[in-house]
Structures are given as C-alpha cells and as structure tokens.
C-alpha cells in the first residue's frame, strides 16, 4: 500500500503519460501480442508432488522466472514489447530501442517509461541520487534479460547494456549449444500468442500489479485463449471461462500456490471474476477433503478485460486500503 501510494505521488503519472504519448504517435495497436512460449512451456515440465517444492526456477517459463518481490525485469520486458508494437507492425523488427536515459536526439527512454521507487539514503543531492539509483535498477534488469536471452547488447559485448540493446524473441536462448539469438519481431500470422489489452500499459496496470499478479494474469490470458470452456445458461446465453489444475499450473506455467492465489486481489480489482464450487471455502480449501473425491472442482475464472479501461490509481488504492483495514479481499462470486 505504501509503495503504491509513493508511486502515485511520484513517478506513476509521468510513466502513464509517456506510455500514452508513445501509443498516440505510433501504430495504436488495440492489444500487445506476447508469444505463448514466454508464458507456457511447450513440453510438460513434470509433476510437482508438493506445493512447497515447485519446478526449479531455471525450468519454468521465462515469465514465471521473473517473479520477484521488488523485481523490475518482467515489467521492463513487457514495456519493451508494448513499445515495439507501437513502433513496428506484425512481422517487423524494432531495431531502434530507446536508451536508458533520454538524450537530445532521443527523448523517449526507459527511465521515462518505467515507474519505480528508487530511494537513496546516502549523502549528496537527493534528486540526482534517486535518478542514479533508478538507472542502476533498469540496467540490472536489462542484464538479467540479457542472461535470459531476451535482449543483447548493441555493442555485442556482454553487459554493455547502457550503450544500447537489441530486442530478442520471447523464446529466449535455445537450449542447443551455440544457437544464434533470434531478433524480435512483432508476432503475426499463425503464431500462437496471447493478447493483452493496450490499456494494461496506457492506464498504468503494468506498474501497479506485483510480478506474481502479472505472471498469473498472463496464465489466465493463455488459458482463456487456448483452453477455455463454454457454459450455457438457462436463458441460452453463453459464458466463456477457464480453470487450471495444479499439475498444469506447475508443469506448464511454473506457478506455485502463491501466484495462483493472486486471483483474490485480481478479482477485487475487477480484472477477474472467480466462481467457486459450493463445497469450497472462501479461501479455496475443500470441505470434507478426500484424496479420492471425483468432484473436486477448480476455481472457474472469467476475464474482465474491460477492467483495464480504468486508470489504475482510481482502482487499486481503495482495494488495498480495504484489505489493510479488514484483512479481506472481495468475496468470490458463487458458482
């Protein structure tokens, strides 16, 4: 709560304004396309017998590898995909990435597009120190992306990200030794990809959500596009919903229970609608649990993408305040 309040009073409005500026002068895509391989393993990673012992980090999809309490890597990479798709069309590369800091020739920069809390408690001029710390955070995130094979230094020298970078495909490095990096192109045609509403970026959600919430949200977008089910109501209307079992969540998406349970805040933000089976408690635990039970039904989830149409500062703070004062998220909808 305190961190978001600080962002809202500090860098978030300027970062939102910059994203909208980049969008308005660009190709104005309705969505940002993200290749499925960034979110979901192509081959099942294996069964996980204990929620406390998930897949090793290196074996998870790249999006799940980026989950970190205060990590910037996932958010920065998604902002790079957003910027690329504002400036390049389907099938095309984006060779002219922004620098970390603005210059006289390039006023767009990652420092301007990223919103962080870059505190500095040391001596010296506070404003300059905060800026320096933010640049360091961005450079470190870029180095992590470089190690993951998602970008490369423009100079060709590992680690020289401050001198410019080139964006690489969401697949990351091939596991075969000596495989060449694949330059990033905007997904198109028959490639499997998910579509994230552009408002996720232009209304600031990418900055305010945690990396666990973002990784889980990417999973739900994938489930809803490729594995959704249809429920026909009594009046003949149809609802599209998705669910994910624990073995699929672990073995394909690399997400543990903590990430899965972000459905609670995401529902409170009115991004998801969660329907629970009548035998489940509000916390998701099963009444009269039995290992052999055949009617253990996972949460049914509906995506409410129109929720991104609201600016994040109008939605998230009241929910977090209610959570802080009552200890509860909004109760799930009955199923």
């Amino acid at each position: 709560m305190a961190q978001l309040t600080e962002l809202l009073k500090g860098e978030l409005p300027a970062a939102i304004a910059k994203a909208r500026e980049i969008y308005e002068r660009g190709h104005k895509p309705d969505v940002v396309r993200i290749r499925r391989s960034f979110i979901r393993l192509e081959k099942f990673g294996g069964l996980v017998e204990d929620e406390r012992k998930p897949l090793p980090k290196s074996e998870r999809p790249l999006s799940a590898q980026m989950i970190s309490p205060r990590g910037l890597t996932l958010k920065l990479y998604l902002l790079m995909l957003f910027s690329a798709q504002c400036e390049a069309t389907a099938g095309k590369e984006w060779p002219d990435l922004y620098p970390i800091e603005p210059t006289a020739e390039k006023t767009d920069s990652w420092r301007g597009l990223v919103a962080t809390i870059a505190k500095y408690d040391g001596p010296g001029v506070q404003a300059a120190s905060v800026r320096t710390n933010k640049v360091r955070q961005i450079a470190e995130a870029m180095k992590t992306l470089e190690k993951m094979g998602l970008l490369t230094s423009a100079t060709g020298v590992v680690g020289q990200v401050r001198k410019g970078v080139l964006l690489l495909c969401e697949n990351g490095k091939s596991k075969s030794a000596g495989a060449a990096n694949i330059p990033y192109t905007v997904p198109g045609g028959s490639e499997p990809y998910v579509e994230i509403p552009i408002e996720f970026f232009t209304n600031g959600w990418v900055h305010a959500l945690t990396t666990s919430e973002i990784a889980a949200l990417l999973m739900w977008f994938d489930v809803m596009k490729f594995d959704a089910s249809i429920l026909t109501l009594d009046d003949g209307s149809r609802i599209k919903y998705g669910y994910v079992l624990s073995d699929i969540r672990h073995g394909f998406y690399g997400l543990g229970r903590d990430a899965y349970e972000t459905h609670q805040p995401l529902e409170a933000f009115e991004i998801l609608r969660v329907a629970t089976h009548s035998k489940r408690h509000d916390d998701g635990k099963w009444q009269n649990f039995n290992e052999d039970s055949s009617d253990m039904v996972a949460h049914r989830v509906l995506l409410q993408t129109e929720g991104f149409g609201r600016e994040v500062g109008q939605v998230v703070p009241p929910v977090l305040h209610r959570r802080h004062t009552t200890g509860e998220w909004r109760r799930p909808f009955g199923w």
Side-chain angles (χ1 to χ4, degrees):
M1 180 67 184
Q3 290 185 354
L4 180 58
T5 300
E6 188 171 341
L7 276 180
L8 287 169
K9 292 180 179 178
E11 296 195 343
L12 189 55
I16 291 175
K18 174 57 71 173
R20 291 175 177 174
E21 176 191 332
I22 291 170
Y23 170 78
E24 287 295 335
R25 70 158 186 265
H27 295 290
K28 296 183 178 180
D30 293 328
V31 297
V32 170
R33 299 173 174 180
I34 302 176
R35 287 179 173 87
R36 194 182 192 196
S37 56
F38 179 71
I39 303 166
R40 189 182 193 274
L41 297 175
E42 294 181 5
K43 295 182 179 180
F44 187 64
L47 292 172
V48 174
E49 296 181 359
D50 189 336
E51 285 277 1
R52 294 168 295 183
K53 298 179 181 179
L55 287 178
K57 186 174 181 178
S58 62
E59 297 178 15
R60 303 173 198 172
L62 293 175
S63 59
Q65 291 183 34
M66 296 181 189
I67 294 175
S68 175
R70 294 190 178 183
L72 182 62
T73 307
L74 178 57
K75 299 181 180 187
L76 176 61
Y77 189 66
L78 292 179
L79 285 165
M80 288 180 169
L81 300 186
F82 159 78
S83 302
Q85 294 182 37
C86 286
E87 301 209 2
T89 55
K92 302 297 183 180
E93 295 183 27
W94 182 41
D96 194 23
L97 273 72
Y98 307 143
I100 293 181
E101 295 196 85
T103 65
E105 295 78 21
K106 293 184 178 182
T107 57
D108 296 322
S109 69
W110 301 120
R111 183 163 68 83
L113 193 54
V114 168
T116 66
I117 298 175
K119 290 184 177 180
Y120 181 73
D121 297 324
V125 180
Q126 184 73 12
S129 299
V130 168
R131 185 197 68 197
T132 300
N133 197 31
K134 183 176 181 180
V135 168
R136 179 191 60 77
Q137 289 180 23
I138 294 171
E140 290 303 313
M142 284 185 170
K143 290 178 182 179
T144 299
L145 291 171
E146 184 180 33
K147 292 177 182 177
M148 299 175 81
L150 293 170
L151 58 77
T152 185
S153 168
T155 65
V157 179
V158 174
Q160 290 189 350
V161 295
R162 293 181 187 236
K163 297 183 178 181
V165 295
L166 298 175
L167 197 57
L168 301 177
C169 181
E170 298 101 312
N171 296 333
K173 290 182 178 179
S174 170
K175 294 193 180 294
S176 57
N181 289 321
I182 303 173
Y184 175 81
T185 56
V186 177
S190 60
E191 291 185 87
Y193 55 77
V194 301
E195 297 169 313
I196 308 301
I198 202 68
E199 293 84 3
F200 178 78
F201 301 93
T202 58
N203 279 334
W205 291 89
V206 65
H207 305 293
L209 297 183
T210 67
T211 52
S212 290
E213 290 165 351
I214 293 173
L217 189 59
L218 292 174
M219 176 189 73
W220 289 121
F221 271 104
D222 185 83
V223 169
M224 292 299 294
K225 180 168 184 177
F226 295 102
D227 297 301
S229 300
I230 301 294
L231 174 67
T232 302
L233 303 180
D234 293 339
D235 62 2
S237 61
R238 292 154 65 88
I239 295 177
K240 185 178 180 182
Y241 69 90
Y243 66 92
V244 61
L245 302 177
S246 62
D247 58 340
I248 300 298
R249 170 167 49 85
H250 278 290
F252 278 110
Y253 297 101
L255 299 179
R257 180 173 293 278
D258 288 347
Y260 178 70
E261 290 182 349
T262 61
H263 66 75
Q264 296 180 76
L266 291 173
E267 183 183 24
F269 301 150
E270 298 182 58
I271 298 303
L272 299 181
R273 178 174 176 177
V274 182
T276 60
H277 192 281
S278 60
K279 290 188 177 182
R280 281 192 181 274
H281 295 287
D282 291 341
D283 63 3
K285 295 180 180 179
W286 196 255
Q287 298 177 29
N288 301 319
F289 175 78
N290 186 326
E291 290 283 359
D292 298 324
S293 176
S294 60
D295 62 351
M296 289 184 63
V297 182
H299 293 317
R300 265 51 175 167
V301 170
L302 288 74
L303 266 174
Q304 296 181 297
T305 54
E306 65 274 12
F308 293 117
R310 304 156 300 160
E311 191 166 312
V312 73
Q314 300 171 356
V315 180
V316 175
V319 172
L320 294 183
H321 177 72
R322 184 172 68 241
R323 168 68 173 176
H324 178 72
T325 56
T326 68
E328 297 180 354
W329 299 106
R330 178 171 299 170
R331 294 171 65 87
F333 292 86
W335 185 244

